Amino acid sequence: MAEEGRNIKIHVDNLHKSFKTNEVLKGVSTDIYEGEVVVVIGPSGSGKSTFLRCLNGLEEITSGNVIVDGVNIADKKININKLRENVGMVFQHFNLFANMNVLRNLTLAPVDLKKATKEEAQKTALEMLARVGLSEKVNELPENLSGGQKQRVAIARALCMKPDIMLFDEPTSALDPEMIGEVLQVMKQLAADGMTMVVVTHEMGFAMEVADRVLFMDSGIIMEEGTPEEVLRNPQNPRTQDFLSKVLEI
Amino acid sequence: MAQIISQYGMILLRAMGQTLLLALFGLLFGCILGIIFGLLSVVKNKVCNAIALVYVNVIRGVPMIVLAFFIYIGVPYAFKNYLHMPLVFSALTAGTICLALNCGAYMAEIIRAGIQSIDVGQMEAARSLGLPYWRGMFRVVLPQAIRNMIPSIVNQFIITLKDTSILSVIGFPELVNKAKNVVAITFKSFEVYFIIGLMYLIIILILQQVAKILERRLNRGRRRA
């Protein structure tokens, strides 16, 4: 759904990534536009999480280019920390800082990186907590929260840095079924607010409803891409068809 | 027994003071070495990792009594005869170096294991927010790691305190060294060694209590330790 004149937020060009001798990404190229919601699906081991982790430099790029807001991550001379301030990430296992309460989780990075004073950061944190519906948990420790609550706090934490791009790495895969909905709801709201999002997920319903574009990855390449309608309802590639039949028949 | 205490009690107490002084220096520098080499062993840099590995393995592989003789006698000998430079260590200096090197190696291992016990996701989350590696380390990973390390650190403190007794061989006037002198004068070996054994025990029990209080304070407000 790339319209003319929209800004490219992330330009991925022939991205390769190997772990020792194991080549996980074998030349991935795509553009992600401002305000676009891109959902990445594919079997496990297809490289979709690695692809996502290359977008903020959590994985070192073996070759190719990833240009985020005009900055090439593959370039070792750039300040990767500065870039990450604008790219929020949400992990499968939440990764809330276990030694801090919810408020400290949300204010640590903004205050430490001097993006805000302590008071400003706390104000933002409370706003973001309200946005994910967890205002009353402000002083809790992560261990006292349910999985769904943890993930919503994790989203709020990323949002406190006021990023223009959000990456989601299987955000609901570690959750009990009854908690998936609350997290997807927050993500839908975020999408509706115009956030640029790249989401690795197995939630086909979410992809169908929220995605502007779906990428199907397998064996380290993008096998098929298009609107959710095209990829999920009418897949052309036999691998996509095979994957979807397995996912949807259960 | 009473006679020994009244006559030699002060000497033994002063010797205990020397033991504690040596242990304190050893632990202080040992902790510094432990932090440095512990961090060197976890950073993503092969040279740093190798340096830490060599240090830890060398120290762990050499008995402390050999290390003590080497530093106190061997090194000054080498300076005098091969480098033609005079270098003399006091027993306290040599003892401190020896204890610190020894304690540092074990502390480095405790710190490495403690850091590695923390889920890598903690560091990744910190990095993903734009925090540099060392900020993530000091703000997020280490505070959690230290909580896990405390029992091992306390254990190492106790071992180092007791290891000071080995340094009686280089003539440092710590508890065992002085006790031997008292035995030589009085022949009351049973009483003297019983008393100094008790002195070590009391000090270590106190240390354990302090550690327990510290641990409890660190775990305040948490369900699990």
Side-chain angles (χ1 to χ4, degrees):
Chain A
M1 299 232 310
E3 299 154 22
E4 285 302 314
R6 277 215 285 176
N7 287 332
I8 295 175
K9 292 298 279 184
I10 306 177
H11 173 70
V12 184
D13 172 34
N14 199 21
L15 169 63
H16 288 255
K17 170 67 190 176
S18 302
F19 293 99
K20 300 230 167 79
T21 56
N22 180 21
E23 191 174 33
V24 178
L25 297 180
K26 299 169 184 164
V28 176
S29 301
T30 189
D31 286 323
I32 289 156
Y33 290 84
E34 189 167 6
E36 196 182 19
V37 177
V38 175
V39 168
V40 185
I41 60 171
S44 60
S46 59
K48 54 194 194 303
S49 280
T50 306
F51 166 68
L52 193 75
R53 290 161 60 86
C54 284
L55 300 184
N56 69 348
L58 271 188
E59 298 295 352
E60 218 174 288
I61 292 160
T62 306
S63 73
N65 294 309
V66 174
I67 296 164
V68 180
D69 274 334
V71 180
N72 192 349
I73 292 189
D75 184 353
K76 288 217 163 44
K77 290 193 286 288
I78 58 127
N79 183 347
I80 190 77
N81 296 320
K82 205 76 204 154
L83 182 139
R84 284 176 180 149
E85 290 179 9
N86 289 320
V87 184
M89 186 160 196
V90 175
F91 299 86
Q92 181 176 359
H93 295 288
F94 331 123
N95 300 352
L96 292 180
F97 303 136
N99 56 324
M100 302 171 193
N101 67 16
V102 167
L103 185 65
R104 276 284 286 155
N105 262 279
L106 269 60
T107 57
L108 175 77
V111 174
D112 231 53
L113 298 169
K114 303 204 163 51
K115 296 265 282 189
T117 65
K118 201 172 165 198
E119 291 70 30
E120 289 164 1
Q122 288 183 345
K123 192 166 157 277
T124 310
L126 293 173
E127 279 169 28
M128 294 305 167
L129 272 184
R131 202 163 156 186
V132 301
L134 287 172
S135 298
E136 77 281 6
K137 299 293 184 188
V138 61
N139 291 317
E140 285 291 352
L141 282 170
E143 64 187 71
N144 297 326
L145 302 176
S146 72
Q149 290 169 340
K150 280 182 195 166
Q151 197 59 299
R152 282 145 70 198
V153 170
I155 294 171
R157 176 175 68 180
L159 292 176
C160 280
M161 289 299 288
K162 311 253 169 79
D164 353 303
I165 302 167
M166 284 284 283
L167 309 176
F168 294 83
D169 188 5
E170 302 200 29
T172 57
S173 296
L175 295 177
D176 290 336
E178 77 270 23
M179 293 172 180
I180 291 174
E182 63 191 65
V183 172
L184 293 182
Q185 195 51 49
V186 169
M187 290 167 64
K188 279 178 202 167
Q189 190 55 52
L190 204 54
D193 293 345
M195 178 66 78
T196 308
M197 293 163 63
V198 184
V199 185
V200 172
T201 188
H202 294 293
E203 295 295 326
M204 297 304 156
F206 176 84
M208 201 66 217
E209 191 182 336
V210 183
D212 296 310
R213 187 152 54 102
V214 175
L215 308 182
F216 172 72
M217 284 186 70
D218 194 12
S219 332
I221 56 168
I222 297 174
M223 286 275 179
E224 188 164 0
E225 67 177 300
T227 64
E229 197 70 31
E230 287 163 359
V231 178
L232 301 178
R233 289 267 156 81
N234 189 20
Q236 301 301 310
N237 189 303
R239 301 287 282 276
T240 320
Q241 289 165 357
D242 182 51
F243 172 74
L244 287 173
S245 71
K246 279 178 187 150
V247 171
L248 297 175
E249 80 191 6
I250 21 167
Chain B
M1 185 81 84
Q3 187 219 339
I4 300 268
I5 292 173
S6 68
Q7 214 168 344
Y8 298 100
M10 273 321 287
I11 290 176
L12 291 179
L13 271 181
R14 234 176 286 135
M16 186 81 233
Q18 291 293 307
T19 288
L20 289 176
L21 181 75
L22 183 60
L24 192 75
F25 280 151
L27 282 171
L28 181 69
F29 293 111
C31 284
I32 293 170
L33 286 176
I35 290 166
I36 293 170
F37 285 97
L39 291 174
L40 282 180
S41 64
V42 294
V43 295
K44 269 193 189 152
N45 182 311
K46 292 225 166 68
V47 179
C48 293
N49 300 161
I51 292 169
L53 191 73
V54 168
Y55 166 66
V56 169
N57 282 340
V58 166
I59 297 296
R60 280 207 299 203
V62 176
M64 202 167 93
I65 197 161
V66 176
L67 189 65
F69 284 134
F70 183 75
I71 291 169
Y72 188 57
I73 302 167
V75 171
Y77 176 87
F79 266 79
K80 184 161 167 272
N81 291 296
Y82 306 138
L83 299 172
H84 306 291
M85 282 192 291
L87 175 84
V88 179
F89 288 129
S90 72
L92 178 62
T93 310
T96 300
I97 294 171
C98 183
L99 263 190
L101 283 174
N102 195 64
C103 175
Y106 290 98
M107 289 289 280
E109 277 297 281
I110 292 168
I111 287 165
R112 181 191 60 73
I115 290 171
Q116 287 177 347
S117 74
I118 302 302
D119 179 29
V120 291
Q122 294 284 310
M123 179 59 97
E124 284 184 350
R127 298 305 310 271
S128 79
L129 290 163
L131 290 171
Y133 178 85
W134 289 109
R135 295 259 187 109
M137 182 57 85
F138 283 105
R139 294 260 194 271
V140 176
V141 177
L142 272 181
Q144 296 179 54
I146 286 170
R147 196 189 311 277
N148 295 350
M149 287 177 216
I150 283 178
S152 310
I153 291 176
V154 171
N155 199 34
Q156 186 55 44
F157 275 25
I158 291 170
I159 291 170
T160 299
L161 179 65
K162 295 203 286 190
D163 276 353
T164 54
S165 60
I166 293 173
L167 298 166
S168 61
V169 298
I170 59 169
F172 184 75
E174 49 71 65
L175 198 49
V176 171
N177 186 291
K178 284 290 173 194
K180 271 157 70 183
N181 294 347
V182 176
V183 171
I185 299 164
T186 63
F187 300 110
K188 302 271 189 198
S189 54
F190 177 81
E191 289 83 348
V192 173
Y193 289 128
F194 183 83
I195 289 168
I196 68 161
L198 205 61
M199 289 169 81
Y200 277 115
L201 184 63
I202 290 168
I203 295 289
I204 284 163
L205 286 176
I206 292 172
L207 189 65
Q208 275 173 344
Q209 277 310 309
V210 172
K212 217 174 246 170
I213 293 166
L214 183 75
E215 208 172 336
R216 220 175 289 146
R217 282 188 56 170
L218 273 172
N219 285 329
R220 212 162 26 189
R222 250 154 239 279
R223 278 187 309 195
R224 297 179 300 270

